[in-house]
Amino acid sequence: MMDNIASSGSESDFCEYWVDMFLSIKGNEFFCQVDEDYMQDRFNLTGLEAEVDYYIKALRRITDHEVEIRDKYMDQKVEESARHLYGLIHARYILTNRGLHKMLEKYRRGDFGRCPRYYCNQQPLLPIGMTDEPKKEPVKLYCCSCEDVYNPKSNRHNAIDGAYFGTSFPGMLFQVYPSYKPDNSSKPYYIPKMFGFKIYESAELLRWREKMRDEQVLKIKETLQQLE
């Protein structure tokens, strides 16, 4: 079907079709549309050739310069590589001004979901990677209100590689758009109580004493090792 579109339509039409098709897949709602000129600039793709199998074929597919692949197995492998390549390009693109603006609009609409914590008052979430290395960790969701990280609710989103968003994206977004980060200075938090009295204070004191004792023991051991 894609080959027919490639032969009957313009090159830009096919590129739009592939990206639109990718973004329309259930589970890919977290991605924004990467500009075609960004993908055409080789400087933006520096280093990706070593990370993607069938790199040239994958790049030609997502930029509409593909030669027809008749072998179904190879076509499937190129498609997998194209989606992986798009994800890696996406991680770089969303750190640019244009990419940040697109992701900001999705954040404002709540496209990434909202924080489940009660005191966060339905604060919109942002996708984040626990590592920038591909195929290590799935994408997580970051709340800038409680500053905690959550697993996505959908299994489809849990299958997305966190490296396609990276570890720096939320921080970069709020550096460029600081007004969209809520003020947490007066944010309430839950305090466990029983009959109106706080509980667990004695347990907290015990944990603090144990922590101080462990730190003192460690300092003594380090001092003895230095003296030996």
Side-chain angles (χ1 to χ4, degrees), residues 11-12 16 18 48-49 54 63 66 84 106 109 117 120 128 150 156 158 163 167 190 211 224:
E11 292 185 353
S12 60
E16 290 175 1
W18 189 94
L48 295 183
E49 184 172 0
Y54 311 109
T63 57
E66 182 185 19
H84 181 48
K106 295 173 71 66
R109 293 194 303 264
R117 185 174 181 271
C120 285
I128 188 174
Y150 301 90
R156 292 189 180 95
N158 279 312
T167 59
Y190 176 70
K211 179 182 178 181
L224 292 175

mmCIF file with all atom_site columns, all heavy atoms in Angstrom, residues 11-12 16 18 48-49 54 63 66 84 106 109 117 120 128 150 156 158 163 167 190 211 224:
data_model
loop_
_atom_site.group_PDB
_atom_site.id
_atom_site.type_symbol
_atom_site.label_atom_id
_atom_site.label_alt_id
_atom_site.label_comp_id
_atom_site.label_asym_id
_atom_site.label_entity_id
_atom_site.label_seq_id
_atom_site.pdbx_PDB_ins_code
_atom_site.Cartn_x
_atom_site.Cartn_y
_atom_site.Cartn_z
_atom_site.occupancy
_atom_site.B_iso_or_equiv
_atom_site.pdbx_formal_charge
_atom_site.auth_seq_id
_atom_site.auth_comp_id
_atom_site.auth_asym_id
_atom_site.auth_atom_id
_atom_site.pdbx_PDB_model_num
ATOM 1   N N   . GLU A 1 11  ? 6.579  13.064 -3.386 1.00 0.00 ? 11  GLU A N   1
ATOM 2   C CA  . GLU A 1 11  ? 7.473  12.576 -2.341 1.00 0.00 ? 11  GLU A CA  1
ATOM 3   C C   . GLU A 1 11  ? 7.047  13.086 -0.980 1.00 0.00 ? 11  GLU A C   1
ATOM 4   O O   . GLU A 1 11  ? 7.043  12.351 0.001  1.00 0.00 ? 11  GLU A O   1
ATOM 5   C CB  . GLU A 1 11  ? 8.910  13.008 -2.657 1.00 0.00 ? 11  GLU A CB  1
ATOM 6   C CG  . GLU A 1 11  ? 9.484  12.308 -3.889 1.00 0.00 ? 11  GLU A CG  1
ATOM 7   C CD  . GLU A 1 11  ? 10.933 12.662 -4.081 1.00 0.00 ? 11  GLU A CD  1
ATOM 8   O OE1 . GLU A 1 11  ? 11.427 13.543 -3.343 1.00 0.00 ? 11  GLU A OE1 1
ATOM 9   O OE2 . GLU A 1 11  ? 11.581 12.071 -4.946 1.00 0.00 ? 11  GLU A OE2 1
ATOM 10  N N   . SER A 1 12  ? 6.683  14.367 -0.872 1.00 0.00 ? 12  SER A N   1
ATOM 11  C CA  . SER A 1 12  ? 6.292  14.922 0.408  1.00 0.00 ? 12  SER A CA  1
ATOM 12  C C   . SER A 1 12  ? 5.003  14.283 0.910  1.00 0.00 ? 12  SER A C   1
ATOM 13  O O   . SER A 1 12  ? 4.809  14.112 2.105  1.00 0.00 ? 12  SER A O   1
ATOM 14  C CB  . SER A 1 12  ? 6.120  16.447 0.303  1.00 0.00 ? 12  SER A CB  1
ATOM 15  O OG  . SER A 1 12  ? 5.124  16.763 -0.647 1.00 0.00 ? 12  SER A OG  1
ATOM 16  N N   . GLU A 1 16  ? 4.592  12.491 4.567  1.00 0.00 ? 16  GLU A N   1
ATOM 17  C CA  . GLU A 1 16  ? 3.525  12.852 5.498  1.00 0.00 ? 16  GLU A CA  1
ATOM 18  C C   . GLU A 1 16  ? 2.703  11.626 5.852  1.00 0.00 ? 16  GLU A C   1
ATOM 19  O O   . GLU A 1 16  ? 2.283  11.441 6.973  1.00 0.00 ? 16  GLU A O   1
ATOM 20  C CB  . GLU A 1 16  ? 2.653  13.948 4.881  1.00 0.00 ? 16  GLU A CB  1
ATOM 21  C CG  . GLU A 1 16  ? 3.348  15.288 4.771  1.00 0.00 ? 16  GLU A CG  1
ATOM 22  C CD  . GLU A 1 16  ? 2.495  16.311 4.046  1.00 0.00 ? 16  GLU A CD  1
ATOM 23  O OE1 . GLU A 1 16  ? 1.375  15.974 3.657  1.00 0.00 ? 16  GLU A OE1 1
ATOM 24  O OE2 . GLU A 1 16  ? 2.996  17.431 3.878  1.00 0.00 ? 16  GLU A OE2 1
ATOM 25  N N   . TRP A 1 18  ? 3.703  8.442  5.923  1.00 0.00 ? 18  TRP A N   1
ATOM 26  C CA  . TRP A 1 18  ? 4.412  7.541  6.840  1.00 0.00 ? 18  TRP A CA  1
ATOM 27  C C   . TRP A 1 18  ? 4.391  8.098  8.255  1.00 0.00 ? 18  TRP A C   1
ATOM 28  O O   . TRP A 1 18  ? 4.098  7.374  9.212  1.00 0.00 ? 18  TRP A O   1
ATOM 29  C CB  . TRP A 1 18  ? 5.866  7.327  6.388  1.00 0.00 ? 18  TRP A CB  1
ATOM 30  C CG  . TRP A 1 18  ? 6.535  6.236  7.186  1.00 0.00 ? 18  TRP A CG  1
ATOM 31  C CD1 . TRP A 1 18  ? 6.631  4.924  6.848  1.00 0.00 ? 18  TRP A CD1 1
ATOM 32  C CD2 . TRP A 1 18  ? 7.152  6.360  8.469  1.00 0.00 ? 18  TRP A CD2 1
ATOM 33  N NE1 . TRP A 1 18  ? 7.269  4.219  7.847  1.00 0.00 ? 18  TRP A NE1 1
ATOM 34  C CE2 . TRP A 1 18  ? 7.599  5.078  8.853  1.00 0.00 ? 18  TRP A CE2 1
ATOM 35  C CE3 . TRP A 1 18  ? 7.372  7.435  9.344  1.00 0.00 ? 18  TRP A CE3 1
ATOM 36  C CZ2 . TRP A 1 18  ? 8.260  4.841  10.055 1.00 0.00 ? 18  TRP A CZ2 1
ATOM 37  C CZ3 . TRP A 1 18  ? 8.009  7.187  10.552 1.00 0.00 ? 18  TRP A CZ3 1
ATOM 38  C CH2 . TRP A 1 18  ? 8.454  5.914  10.895 1.00 0.00 ? 18  TRP A CH2 1
ATOM 39  N N   . LEU A 1 48  ? 23.759 8.418  14.670 1.00 0.00 ? 48  LEU A N   1
ATOM 40  C CA  . LEU A 1 48  ? 22.642 7.465  14.690 1.00 0.00 ? 48  LEU A CA  1
ATOM 41  C C   . LEU A 1 48  ? 22.872 6.266  13.777 1.00 0.00 ? 48  LEU A C   1
ATOM 42  O O   . LEU A 1 48  ? 22.261 5.214  13.971 1.00 0.00 ? 48  LEU A O   1
ATOM 43  C CB  . LEU A 1 48  ? 21.338 8.162  14.291 1.00 0.00 ? 48  LEU A CB  1
ATOM 44  C CG  . LEU A 1 48  ? 20.844 9.253  15.243 1.00 0.00 ? 48  LEU A CG  1
ATOM 45  C CD1 . LEU A 1 48  ? 19.513 9.811  14.771 1.00 0.00 ? 48  LEU A CD1 1
ATOM 46  C CD2 . LEU A 1 48  ? 20.716 8.710  16.666 1.00 0.00 ? 48  LEU A CD2 1
ATOM 47  N N   . GLU A 1 49  ? 23.739 6.428  12.804 1.00 0.00 ? 49  GLU A N   1
ATOM 48  C CA  . GLU A 1 49  ? 23.992 5.333  11.871 1.00 0.00 ? 49  GLU A CA  1
ATOM 49  C C   . GLU A 1 49  ? 24.493 4.089  12.597 1.00 0.00 ? 49  GLU A C   1
ATOM 50  O O   . GLU A 1 49  ? 24.174 2.957  12.210 1.00 0.00 ? 49  GLU A O   1
ATOM 51  C CB  . GLU A 1 49  ? 25.003 5.771  10.809 1.00 0.00 ? 49  GLU A CB  1
ATOM 52  C CG  . GLU A 1 49  ? 25.250 4.719  9.735  1.00 0.00 ? 49  GLU A CG  1
ATOM 53  C CD  . GLU A 1 49  ? 26.110 5.252  8.607  1.00 0.00 ? 49  GLU A CD  1
ATOM 54  O OE1 . GLU A 1 49  ? 26.502 6.435  8.660  1.00 0.00 ? 49  GLU A OE1 1
ATOM 55  O OE2 . GLU A 1 49  ? 26.379 4.474  7.673  1.00 0.00 ? 49  GLU A OE2 1
ATOM 56  N N   . TYR A 1 54  ? 20.135 -1.311 9.188  1.00 0.00 ? 54  TYR A N   1
ATOM 57  C CA  . TYR A 1 54  ? 19.583 -0.884 7.897  1.00 0.00 ? 54  TYR A CA  1
ATOM 58  C C   . TYR A 1 54  ? 19.331 0.629  7.905  1.00 0.00 ? 54  TYR A C   1
ATOM 59  O O   . TYR A 1 54  ? 18.285 1.110  7.446  1.00 0.00 ? 54  TYR A O   1
ATOM 60  C CB  . TYR A 1 54  ? 18.283 -1.627 7.575  1.00 0.00 ? 54  TYR A CB  1
ATOM 61  C CG  . TYR A 1 54  ? 18.374 -3.123 7.757  1.00 0.00 ? 54  TYR A CG  1
ATOM 62  C CD1 . TYR A 1 54  ? 17.712 -3.750 8.804  1.00 0.00 ? 54  TYR A CD1 1
ATOM 63  C CD2 . TYR A 1 54  ? 19.122 -3.911 6.883  1.00 0.00 ? 54  TYR A CD2 1
ATOM 64  C CE1 . TYR A 1 54  ? 17.799 -5.114 8.994  1.00 0.00 ? 54  TYR A CE1 1
ATOM 65  C CE2 . TYR A 1 54  ? 19.210 -5.284 7.057  1.00 0.00 ? 54  TYR A CE2 1
ATOM 66  C CZ  . TYR A 1 54  ? 18.545 -5.882 8.123  1.00 0.00 ? 54  TYR A CZ  1
ATOM 67  O OH  . TYR A 1 54  ? 18.634 -7.246 8.303  1.00 0.00 ? 54  TYR A OH  1
ATOM 68  N N   . THR A 1 63  ? 11.960 9.466  5.121  1.00 0.00 ? 63  THR A N   1
ATOM 69  C CA  . THR A 1 63  ? 12.124 10.735 4.398  1.00 0.00 ? 63  THR A CA  1
ATOM 70  C C   . THR A 1 63  ? 11.673 10.632 2.949  1.00 0.00 ? 63  THR A C   1
ATOM 71  O O   . THR A 1 63  ? 11.967 11.521 2.139  1.00 0.00 ? 63  THR A O   1
ATOM 72  C CB  . THR A 1 63  ? 13.588 11.214 4.449  1.00 0.00 ? 63  THR A CB  1
ATOM 73  O OG1 . THR A 1 63  ? 14.437 10.191 3.898  1.00 0.00 ? 63  THR A OG1 1
ATOM 74  C CG2 . THR A 1 63  ? 14.000 11.524 5.874  1.00 0.00 ? 63  THR A CG2 1
ATOM 75  N N   . GLU A 1 66  ? 12.640 6.086  -0.516 1.00 0.00 ? 66  GLU A N   1
ATOM 76  C CA  . GLU A 1 66  ? 12.798 4.634  -0.441 1.00 0.00 ? 66  GLU A CA  1
ATOM 77  C C   . GLU A 1 66  ? 12.697 3.984  -1.811 1.00 0.00 ? 66  GLU A C   1
ATOM 78  O O   . GLU A 1 66  ? 11.878 4.351  -2.644 1.00 0.00 ? 66  GLU A O   1
ATOM 79  C CB  . GLU A 1 66  ? 11.714 4.058  0.480  1.00 0.00 ? 66  GLU A CB  1
ATOM 80  C CG  . GLU A 1 66  ? 11.818 2.559  0.662  1.00 0.00 ? 66  GLU A CG  1
ATOM 81  C CD  . GLU A 1 66  ? 10.657 2.014  1.475  1.00 0.00 ? 66  GLU A CD  1
ATOM 82  O OE1 . GLU A 1 66  ? 9.640  2.719  1.577  1.00 0.00 ? 66  GLU A OE1 1
ATOM 83  O OE2 . GLU A 1 66  ? 10.763 0.898  1.979  1.00 0.00 ? 66  GLU A OE2 1
ATOM 84  N N   . HIS A 1 84  ? 12.427 2.758  14.934 1.00 0.00 ? 84  HIS A N   1
ATOM 85  C CA  . HIS A 1 84  ? 13.462 2.987  15.944 1.00 0.00 ? 84  HIS A CA  1
ATOM 86  C C   . HIS A 1 84  ? 14.235 4.268  15.640 1.00 0.00 ? 84  HIS A C   1
ATOM 87  O O   . HIS A 1 84  ? 14.498 5.079  16.538 1.00 0.00 ? 84  HIS A O   1
ATOM 88  C CB  . HIS A 1 84  ? 14.403 1.784  15.983 1.00 0.00 ? 84  HIS A CB  1
ATOM 89  C CG  . HIS A 1 84  ? 15.494 1.891  17.004 1.00 0.00 ? 84  HIS A CG  1
ATOM 90  N ND1 . HIS A 1 84  ? 15.270 2.255  18.317 1.00 0.00 ? 84  HIS A ND1 1
ATOM 91  C CD2 . HIS A 1 84  ? 16.842 1.692  16.904 1.00 0.00 ? 84  HIS A CD2 1
ATOM 92  C CE1 . HIS A 1 84  ? 16.414 2.270  18.989 1.00 0.00 ? 84  HIS A CE1 1
ATOM 93  N NE2 . HIS A 1 84  ? 17.376 1.936  18.149 1.00 0.00 ? 84  HIS A NE2 1
ATOM 94  N N   . LYS A 1 106 ? 1.014  19.631 23.638 1.00 0.00 ? 106 LYS A N   1
ATOM 95  C CA  . LYS A 1 106 ? 0.491  18.334 24.065 1.00 0.00 ? 106 LYS A CA  1
ATOM 96  C C   . LYS A 1 106 ? 0.398  18.275 25.585 1.00 0.00 ? 106 LYS A C   1
ATOM 97  O O   . LYS A 1 106 ? -0.552 17.723 26.149 1.00 0.00 ? 106 LYS A O   1
ATOM 98  C CB  . LYS A 1 106 ? 1.388  17.200 23.538 1.00 0.00 ? 106 LYS A CB  1
ATOM 99  C CG  . LYS A 1 106 ? 1.402  17.080 22.017 1.00 0.00 ? 106 LYS A CG  1
ATOM 100 C CD  . LYS A 1 106 ? 2.413  16.065 21.530 1.00 0.00 ? 106 LYS A CD  1
ATOM 101 C CE  . LYS A 1 106 ? 1.998  14.666 21.853 1.00 0.00 ? 106 LYS A CE  1
ATOM 102 N NZ  . LYS A 1 106 ? 0.780  14.222 21.138 1.00 0.00 ? 106 LYS A NZ  1
ATOM 103 N N   . ARG A 1 109 ? -2.642 20.174 26.793 1.00 0.00 ? 109 ARG A N   1
ATOM 104 C CA  . ARG A 1 109 ? -3.890 19.446 26.547 1.00 0.00 ? 109 ARG A CA  1
ATOM 105 C C   . ARG A 1 109 ? -4.031 18.209 27.438 1.00 0.00 ? 109 ARG A C   1
ATOM 106 O O   . ARG A 1 109 ? -5.090 17.596 27.483 1.00 0.00 ? 109 ARG A O   1
ATOM 107 C CB  . ARG A 1 109 ? -3.960 19.004 25.075 1.00 0.00 ? 109 ARG A CB  1
ATOM 108 C CG  . ARG A 1 109 ? -4.079 20.134 24.077 1.00 0.00 ? 109 ARG A CG  1
ATOM 109 C CD  . ARG A 1 109 ? -4.499 19.588 22.706 1.00 0.00 ? 109 ARG A CD  1
ATOM 110 N NE  . ARG A 1 109 ? -3.564 18.587 22.216 1.00 0.00 ? 109 ARG A NE  1
ATOM 111 C CZ  . ARG A 1 109 ? -2.568 18.854 21.382 1.00 0.00 ? 109 ARG A CZ  1
ATOM 112 N NH1 . ARG A 1 109 ? -2.347 20.101 20.975 1.00 0.00 ? 109 ARG A NH1 1
ATOM 113 N NH2 . ARG A 1 109 ? -1.775 17.889 20.954 1.00 0.00 ? 109 ARG A NH2 1
ATOM 114 N N   . ARG A 1 117 ? -1.730 11.476 41.922 1.00 0.00 ? 117 ARG A N   1
ATOM 115 C CA  . ARG A 1 117 ? -1.665 11.925 43.314 1.00 0.00 ? 117 ARG A CA  1
ATOM 116 C C   . ARG A 1 117 ? -2.754 12.968 43.577 1.00 0.00 ? 117 ARG A C   1
ATOM 117 O O   . ARG A 1 117 ? -2.914 13.922 42.826 1.00 0.00 ? 117 ARG A O   1
ATOM 118 C CB  . ARG A 1 117 ? -0.285 12.515 43.605 1.00 0.00 ? 117 ARG A CB  1
ATOM 119 C CG  . ARG A 1 117 ? -0.068 12.895 45.067 1.00 0.00 ? 117 ARG A CG  1
ATOM 120 C CD  . ARG A 1 117 ? 1.381  13.327 45.299 1.00 0.00 ? 117 ARG A CD  1
ATOM 121 N NE  . ARG A 1 117 ? 1.608  13.677 46.687 1.00 0.00 ? 117 ARG A NE  1
ATOM 122 C CZ  . ARG A 1 117 ? 1.420  14.896 47.184 1.00 0.00 ? 117 ARG A CZ  1
ATOM 123 N NH1 . ARG A 1 117 ? 1.002  15.863 46.401 1.00 0.00 ? 117 ARG A NH1 1
ATOM 124 N NH2 . ARG A 1 117 ? 1.643  15.134 48.458 1.00 0.00 ? 117 ARG A NH2 1
ATOM 125 N N   . CYS A 1 120 ? -1.964 16.767 43.772 1.00 0.00 ? 120 CYS A N   1
ATOM 126 C CA  . CYS A 1 120 ? -1.441 17.396 42.556 1.00 0.00 ? 120 CYS A CA  1
ATOM 127 C C   . CYS A 1 120 ? -2.541 17.978 41.683 1.00 0.00 ? 120 CYS A C   1
ATOM 128 O O   . CYS A 1 120 ? -2.252 18.652 40.678 1.00 0.00 ? 120 CYS A O   1
ATOM 129 C CB  . CYS A 1 120 ? -0.611 16.386 41.760 1.00 0.00 ? 120 CYS A CB  1
ATOM 130 S SG  . CYS A 1 120 ? 1.016  16.055 42.495 1.00 0.00 ? 120 CYS A SG  1
ATOM 131 N N   . ILE A 1 128 ? 9.257  10.848 30.095 1.00 0.00 ? 128 ILE A N   1
ATOM 132 C CA  . ILE A 1 128 ? 10.676 10.970 30.430 1.00 0.00 ? 128 ILE A CA  1
ATOM 133 C C   . ILE A 1 128 ? 11.325 9.595  30.352 1.00 0.00 ? 128 ILE A C   1
ATOM 134 O O   . ILE A 1 128 ? 10.679 8.565  30.583 1.00 0.00 ? 128 ILE A O   1
ATOM 135 C CB  . ILE A 1 128 ? 10.862 11.565 31.847 1.00 0.00 ? 128 ILE A CB  1
ATOM 136 C CG1 . ILE A 1 128 ? 12.340 11.866 32.125 1.00 0.00 ? 128 ILE A CG1 1
ATOM 137 C CG2 . ILE A 1 128 ? 10.282 10.638 32.909 1.00 0.00 ? 128 ILE A CG2 1
ATOM 138 C CD1 . ILE A 1 128 ? 12.576 12.594 33.452 1.00 0.00 ? 128 ILE A CD1 1
ATOM 139 N N   . TYR A 1 150 ? 6.033  8.080  37.378 1.00 0.00 ? 150 TYR A N   1
ATOM 140 C CA  . TYR A 1 150 ? 5.009  7.045  37.400 1.00 0.00 ? 150 TYR A CA  1
ATOM 141 C C   . TYR A 1 150 ? 5.095  6.181  36.143 1.00 0.00 ? 150 TYR A C   1
ATOM 142 O O   . TYR A 1 150 ? 5.604  6.612  35.111 1.00 0.00 ? 150 TYR A O   1
ATOM 143 C CB  . TYR A 1 150 ? 3.616  7.673  37.480 1.00 0.00 ? 150 TYR A CB  1
ATOM 144 C CG  . TYR A 1 150 ? 3.417  8.545  38.692 1.00 0.00 ? 150 TYR A CG  1
ATOM 145 C CD1 . TYR A 1 150 ? 3.723  9.913  38.654 1.00 0.00 ? 150 TYR A CD1 1
ATOM 146 C CD2 . TYR A 1 150 ? 2.943  8.016  39.880 1.00 0.00 ? 150 TYR A CD2 1
ATOM 147 C CE1 . TYR A 1 150 ? 3.553  10.716 39.769 1.00 0.00 ? 150 TYR A CE1 1
ATOM 148 C CE2 . TYR A 1 150 ? 2.762  8.810  41.009 1.00 0.00 ? 150 TYR A CE2 1
ATOM 149 C CZ  . TYR A 1 150 ? 3.064  10.163 40.948 1.00 0.00 ? 150 TYR A CZ  1
ATOM 150 O OH  . TYR A 1 150 ? 2.906  10.960 42.055 1.00 0.00 ? 150 TYR A OH  1
ATOM 151 N N   . ARG A 1 156 ? 0.352  -0.298 26.096 1.00 0.00 ? 156 ARG A N   1
ATOM 152 C CA  . ARG A 1 156 ? 0.948  0.181  24.839 1.00 0.00 ? 156 ARG A CA  1
ATOM 153 C C   . ARG A 1 156 ? 2.020  1.229  25.110 1.00 0.00 ? 156 ARG A C   1
ATOM 154 O O   . ARG A 1 156 ? 3.072  1.238  24.475 1.00 0.00 ? 156 ARG A O   1
ATOM 155 C CB  . ARG A 1 156 ? -0.138 0.771  23.936 1.00 0.00 ? 156 ARG A CB  1
ATOM 156 C CG  . ARG A 1 156 ? -1.141 -0.252 23.403 1.00 0.00 ? 156 ARG A CG  1
ATOM 157 C CD  . ARG A 1 156 ? -2.022 0.397  22.346 1.00 0.00 ? 156 ARG A CD  1
ATOM 158 N NE  . ARG A 1 156 ? -3.011 -0.539 21.801 1.00 0.00 ? 156 ARG A NE  1
ATOM 159 C CZ  . ARG A 1 156 ? -4.250 -0.643 22.232 1.00 0.00 ? 156 ARG A CZ  1
ATOM 160 N NH1 . ARG A 1 156 ? -4.665 0.145  23.216 1.00 0.00 ? 156 ARG A NH1 1
ATOM 161 N NH2 . ARG A 1 156 ? -5.088 -1.494 21.685 1.00 0.00 ? 156 ARG A NH2 1
ATOM 162 N N   . ASN A 1 158 ? 3.656  1.478  27.910 1.00 0.00 ? 158 ASN A N   1
ATOM 163 C CA  . ASN A 1 158 ? 4.741  0.810  28.623 1.00 0.00 ? 158 ASN A CA  1
ATOM 164 C C   . ASN A 1 158 ? 5.724  0.129  27.679 1.00 0.00 ? 158 ASN A C   1
ATOM 165 O O   . ASN A 1 158 ? 6.832  -0.220 28.084 1.00 0.00 ? 158 ASN A O   1
ATOM 166 C CB  . ASN A 1 158 ? 4.169  -0.224 29.596 1.00 0.00 ? 158 ASN A CB  1
ATOM 167 C CG  . ASN A 1 158 ? 3.700  0.401  30.896 1.00 0.00 ? 158 ASN A CG  1
ATOM 168 O OD1 . ASN A 1 158 ? 4.412  1.196  31.496 1.00 0.00 ? 158 ASN A OD1 1
ATOM 169 N ND2 . ASN A 1 158 ? 2.492  0.077  31.322 1.00 0.00 ? 158 ASN A ND2 1
ATOM 170 N N   . ALA A 1 163 ? 14.201 6.024  25.825 1.00 0.00 ? 163 ALA A N   1
ATOM 171 C CA  . ALA A 1 163 ? 15.244 6.794  25.144 1.00 0.00 ? 163 ALA A CA  1
ATOM 172 C C   . ALA A 1 163 ? 14.671 7.662  24.036 1.00 0.00 ? 163 ALA A C   1
ATOM 173 O O   . ALA A 1 163 ? 15.344 8.588  23.574 1.00 0.00 ? 163 ALA A O   1
ATOM 174 C CB  . ALA A 1 163 ? 16.297 5.847  24.563 1.00 0.00 ? 163 ALA A CB  1
ATOM 175 N N   . THR A 1 167 ? 16.320 11.723 29.142 1.00 0.00 ? 167 THR A N   1
ATOM 176 C CA  . THR A 1 167 ? 16.313 12.143 30.544 1.00 0.00 ? 167 THR A CA  1
ATOM 177 C C   . THR A 1 167 ? 16.232 13.654 30.721 1.00 0.00 ? 167 THR A C   1
ATOM 178 O O   . THR A 1 167 ? 15.907 14.128 31.809 1.00 0.00 ? 167 THR A O   1
ATOM 179 C CB  . THR A 1 167 ? 17.582 11.627 31.245 1.00 0.00 ? 167 THR A CB  1
ATOM 180 O OG1 . THR A 1 167 ? 18.742 12.148 30.566 1.00 0.00 ? 167 THR A OG1 1
ATOM 181 C CG2 . THR A 1 167 ? 17.648 10.107 31.222 1.00 0.00 ? 167 THR A CG2 1
ATOM 182 N N   . TYR A 1 190 ? -0.016 14.915 52.452 1.00 0.00 ? 190 TYR A N   1
ATOM 183 C CA  . TYR A 1 190 ? -0.806 14.137 53.415 1.00 0.00 ? 190 TYR A CA  1
ATOM 184 C C   . TYR A 1 190 ? 0.015  13.802 54.656 1.00 0.00 ? 190 TYR A C   1
ATOM 185 O O   . TYR A 1 190 ? 1.161  13.364 54.555 1.00 0.00 ? 190 TYR A O   1
ATOM 186 C CB  . TYR A 1 190 ? -1.303 12.851 52.770 1.00 0.00 ? 190 TYR A CB  1
ATOM 187 C CG  . TYR A 1 190 ? -2.052 11.955 53.718 1.00 0.00 ? 190 TYR A CG  1
ATOM 188 C CD1 . TYR A 1 190 ? -3.319 12.304 54.191 1.00 0.00 ? 190 TYR A CD1 1
ATOM 189 C CD2 . TYR A 1 190 ? -1.493 10.756 54.155 1.00 0.00 ? 190 TYR A CD2 1
ATOM 190 C CE1 . TYR A 1 190 ? -4.008 11.487 55.069 1.00 0.00 ? 190 TYR A CE1 1
ATOM 191 C CE2 . TYR A 1 190 ? -2.175 9.931  55.035 1.00 0.00 ? 190 TYR A CE2 1
ATOM 192 C CZ  . TYR A 1 190 ? -3.436 10.303 55.489 1.00 0.00 ? 190 TYR A CZ  1
ATOM 193 O OH  . TYR A 1 190 ? -4.114 9.494  56.365 1.00 0.00 ? 190 TYR A OH  1
ATOM 194 N N   . LYS A 1 211 ? 19.913 5.983  61.407 1.00 0.00 ? 211 LYS A N   1
ATOM 195 C CA  . LYS A 1 211 ? 20.680 6.579  60.312 1.00 0.00 ? 211 LYS A CA  1
ATOM 196 C C   . LYS A 1 211 ? 21.924 7.272  60.851 1.00 0.00 ? 211 LYS A C   1
ATOM 197 O O   . LYS A 1 211 ? 23.027 7.112  60.305 1.00 0.00 ? 211 LYS A O   1
ATOM 198 C CB  . LYS A 1 211 ? 19.812 7.571  59.549 1.00 0.00 ? 211 LYS A CB  1
ATOM 199 C CG  . LYS A 1 211 ? 20.539 8.251  58.397 1.00 0.00 ? 211 LYS A CG  1
ATOM 200 C CD  . LYS A 1 211 ? 19.643 9.271  57.711 1.00 0.00 ? 211 LYS A CD  1
ATOM 201 C CE  . LYS A 1 211 ? 20.393 9.995  56.593 1.00 0.00 ? 211 LYS A CE  1
ATOM 202 N NZ  . LYS A 1 211 ? 19.535 11.020 55.931 1.00 0.00 ? 211 LYS A NZ  1
ATOM 203 N N   . LEU A 1 224 ? 39.696 4.374  60.654 1.00 0.00 ? 224 LEU A N   1
ATOM 204 C CA  . LEU A 1 224 ? 40.594 3.268  60.980 1.00 0.00 ? 224 LEU A CA  1
ATOM 205 C C   . LEU A 1 224 ? 41.343 2.768  59.766 1.00 0.00 ? 224 LEU A C   1
ATOM 206 O O   . LEU A 1 224 ? 42.528 2.423  59.854 1.00 0.00 ? 224 LEU A O   1
ATOM 207 C CB  . LEU A 1 224 ? 39.776 2.128  61.613 1.00 0.00 ? 224 LEU A CB  1
ATOM 208 C CG  . LEU A 1 224 ? 39.186 2.391  63.005 1.00 0.00 ? 224 LEU A CG  1
ATOM 209 C CD1 . LEU A 1 224 ? 38.313 1.233  63.457 1.00 0.00 ? 224 LEU A CD1 1
ATOM 210 C CD2 . LEU A 1 224 ? 40.308 2.662  64.015 1.00 0.00 ? 224 LEU A CD2 1
#
